[in-house]
Amino acid sequence: MPISVVATGDSLLTQRLPRNDERCLKLKAILEKFDVRFTNFELLIHDFEVSPAAVSGGTWVAARPPIIQDLNWLGFNLYACATNHSLDWGHDGLLTTMQHLDHAGCIYAGIGNNMAEAGQPKYLETPEGRVALISVCSSGKDWHIAGEQRPDVKGRPGINMLRFNAVHYLPQEDIDTLQAIVGKTDVNARRLQLEGEGFAKPEEGFAIGTIRFEAGDAGSVTTCHKKDANRIAKAILEAKRQADVVLVSHHVHEFKGATKDISSDFARDFARLCIDSGAHAYLGHGPHILRGFEVYKHHPIFYSLGDFIIQNDSVERQPAEFFDIYGLDSTHTPSDGFDARSKNGTKGLAANRKVFESVMASFQVEDNGEIESVELIPITLGFNRKKSLKGRPELASQEDGERILTELAGLSEEFGTKIEIRNGRGYIRI
């Protein structure tokens, strides 16, 4: 018998879900039809007994522990946890989140006490077989990566990170001009000192801080960090030996060009590496909007599934650093800061309709490992609803659903992916 999967994007839930909400009940009824119900857990769970980090992933995301009950009630049974918010509340916030997830009996991947834990596949047992999840993030800070355990040194709590390298190409004459301009200032003095003293490795070409330039046709290219990519590919191979279905979740904000709905070079390379290594599907998310879908070697690549729940403007508390960004002080409330950030809902994520429109992707993995088709179920997240309901998911109307799918089909054209739209649903033949 096949194993059925439904996958959603980011769940950034900070307020309780009412169990008698008809919109939630309809989604719950759909989710519970599948063996595997996946979402990206873009949350930290605690009662604010932990100290915040000095910087965050944008908002210092946090929710009270009962939030886990709501996501479990809705039907989710497999969670990816490696995100750019995983260390918003330092290592204590991460460890406390893990304790609450463990206490709730959740199966989650991507975070751990060290790299061996953060990078290992986690397994969900279904009536029809075992499903593995590997969770990866590329958009965290350098210090977010979990540390490897050594015989003589403990590992470091953190996330399973896929780092990347970026090279910006310019004609040689432009690089010469750039070097001459930079040479008139001290902007690169610190880097040159570190290189001279052996604390930094000299880069090929010309580097300004961490920004690297090389001679060539103008443009920018990103590539996967080889050590990270090899480590993750090895985990996929291990998962393939143990499970009937292997899913890889990738939280990645980075984009190509000037708009964030085009996935980056390294994300595309990594997605295909995952399939080549034995994954049945690549589940991307992070930019809070949909990105194009690709069929690669008869397997689906979802470069971004967008949002499932987005409530980042209703976190209960924020640290002093958050208020400092907007010139506010201890007399101000989180709502003051959120309103300042969005200019009362007129800019940023709060004002972007695409942030509040997405799809749930479902498919079946047959006994032979093949996937014949994907069904796309459009959802909306209350873009025009009042603030208390904004960000909460519901099934899209047929009109909205067909518009969402048409836009997604346009984003998928570059991959040659055809999305058939019927009665408000989308279908991709694999």
Side-chain angles (χ1 to χ4, degrees), residues 382-398:
F383 177 61
N384 291 318
R385 292 190 181 276
K386 59 184 180 180
K387 188 173 183 179
S388 62
L389 296 179
K390 194 169 183 177
R392 191 187 299 175
E394 61 183 296
L395 290 174
S397 66
Q398 182 169 333

Side-chain angles (χ1 to χ4, degrees), residues 220 222 252-268 272 282 287 289-293 303-304 354 407-415:
S220 300
T222 56
V252 53
H253 289 227
E254 285 71 25
F255 50 91
K256 179 79 172 178
T259 59
K260 67 178 185 177
D261 54 7
I262 306 298
S263 52
S264 57
D265 300 317
F266 83 92
R268 299 179 186 212
R272 294 161 188 163
Y282 167 99
I289 59 172
L290 288 168
R291 286 176 175 165
F293 295 169
Y303 282 109
S304 176
K354 292 183 178 181
E407 292 176 2
L408 178 58
L411 292 171
S412 304
E413 281 181 357
E414 65 167 308
F415 304 109

Side-chain angles (χ1 to χ4, degrees), residues 347-366:
K347 64 174 291 188
L349 297 181
N352 186 350
R353 173 181 58 81
K354 292 183 178 181
V355 171
F356 298 86
E357 298 179 342
S358 188
V359 297
M360 301 188 295
S362 68
F363 52 91
Q364 291 192 145
V365 182
E366 303 294 334

Side-chain angles (χ1 to χ4, degrees), residues 15-28:
Q15 302 298 319
R16 299 298 306 272
L17 289 175
R19 303 292 174 92
N20 59 349
D21 184 340
E22 194 64 33
R23 293 179 289 266
C24 289
L25 289 170
K26 288 180 179 179
L27 287 172
K28 175 179 170 65

